[in-house]
Amino acid sequence: MAAVYFALEEENRRALRRERVFRDRLHPFDVYDDVDLIKRYRMPRPVLMQVVDLLHEDVAHPTSRSHAVPASLQVLSAIRYYATGTFQLVDGDTVNLSQPTISRIVTRVTDALASRARDFIKFPLDDASLDAIKEGFYTDRHRMPNVVGVVDGSLVQIKAPSVNEPANVCRKGFHAINVQGIAPTI
């Protein structure tokens, strides 16, 4: 009697287990021309390829077991998520990846980018550099004395929040948050 019970339990466990589905993945470099890449990723193909090359070692899986997502597709999926500000589910649908996979990819690529931030983001600290920047702002067409940097903002469209919805409508009439960027030079 116990053997029959265990056999039924094993059969039920197998019935509850979902089969894994591997979908064909679309690679953006194969699908889109240069104009479409700029529309979707806000960067031209050569720049996207440089970013992929830069982050390849940080995000690539050591093996291709279980149909691992290639590093180039991971980087492009994260860049699309950053560029569009849309939902991970929608970004995943464009390349046939699930929302949880896109979430892990965005985290992995973001960490890889953040670890390399010091290679690209530099603020002048010595007096000679600061004086050169001040002079550049003044002698160029700007004519602004003692300026060493600028701040600019941009509205990023968001989904309408359920709490305090009217407070998130921007002057242009859509839901947005204001994001600011700082640059030491133009």
Side-chain angles (χ1 to χ4, degrees):
M1 188 64 152
V4 172
Y5 172 77
F6 287 119
L8 286 173
E9 187 176 308
E10 180 64 27
E11 187 176 317
N12 285 340
R13 198 174 311 128
R14 265 193 238 132
L16 291 175
R17 205 178 300 150
R18 272 195 317 178
E19 289 295 318
R20 292 179 67 182
V21 177
F22 296 105
R23 299 178 278 184
D24 288 335
R25 295 187 187 126
L26 302 173
H27 200 291
F29 283 150
D30 299 335
V31 176
Y32 301 122
D33 63 9
D34 292 344
V35 173
D36 287 333
L37 281 173
I38 291 173
K39 283 182 188 175
R40 287 170 173 78
Y41 296 91
R42 298 186 183 190
M43 292 184 220
R45 184 180 305 265
V47 174
L48 289 169
M49 292 173 80
Q50 281 181 322
V51 176
V52 168
D53 289 343
L54 178 72
L55 301 179
H56 186 274
E57 289 183 23
D58 296 334
V59 300
H61 294 284
T63 67
S64 59
R65 264 185 24 202
S66 300
H67 301 276
V69 180
S72 59
L73 190 56
Q74 289 184 56
V75 173
L76 290 173
S77 296
I79 290 174
R80 174 129 187 193
Y81 176 74
Y82 305 146
T84 62
T86 188
F87 295 102
Q88 293 173 349
L89 181 63
V90 175
D91 285 332
D93 287 346
T94 61
V95 290
N96 285 331
L97 294 171
S98 67
Q99 180 274 322
T101 301
I102 294 293
S103 178
R104 287 189 299 274
I105 286 170
V106 168
T107 300
R108 189 177 305 120
V109 172
T110 301
D111 290 345
L113 283 170
S115 72
R116 296 180 181 268
R118 290 179 187 222
D119 298 340
F120 300 99
I121 302 171
K122 298 183 189 306
F123 290 95
L125 299 175
D126 60 288
D127 290 337
S129 297
L130 290 171
D131 289 341
I133 291 170
K134 287 179 187 178
E135 186 176 325
F137 269 102
Y138 188 76
T139 57
D140 289 349
R141 59 187 167 146
H142 310 296
R143 296 282 181 213
M144 298 182 338
N146 295 318
V147 173
V148 294
V150 294
V151 176
D152 193 10
S154 180
L155 293 171
V156 177
Q157 192 168 1
I158 61 171
K159 180 182 174 194
S162 57
V163 177
N164 203 8
E165 180 266 339
N168 290 286
V169 177
C170 70
R171 61 183 164 74
K172 295 183 178 182
F174 56 85
H175 296 90
I177 56 173
N178 193 5
V179 179
Q180 289 187 336
I182 302 170
T185 61
I186 293 182

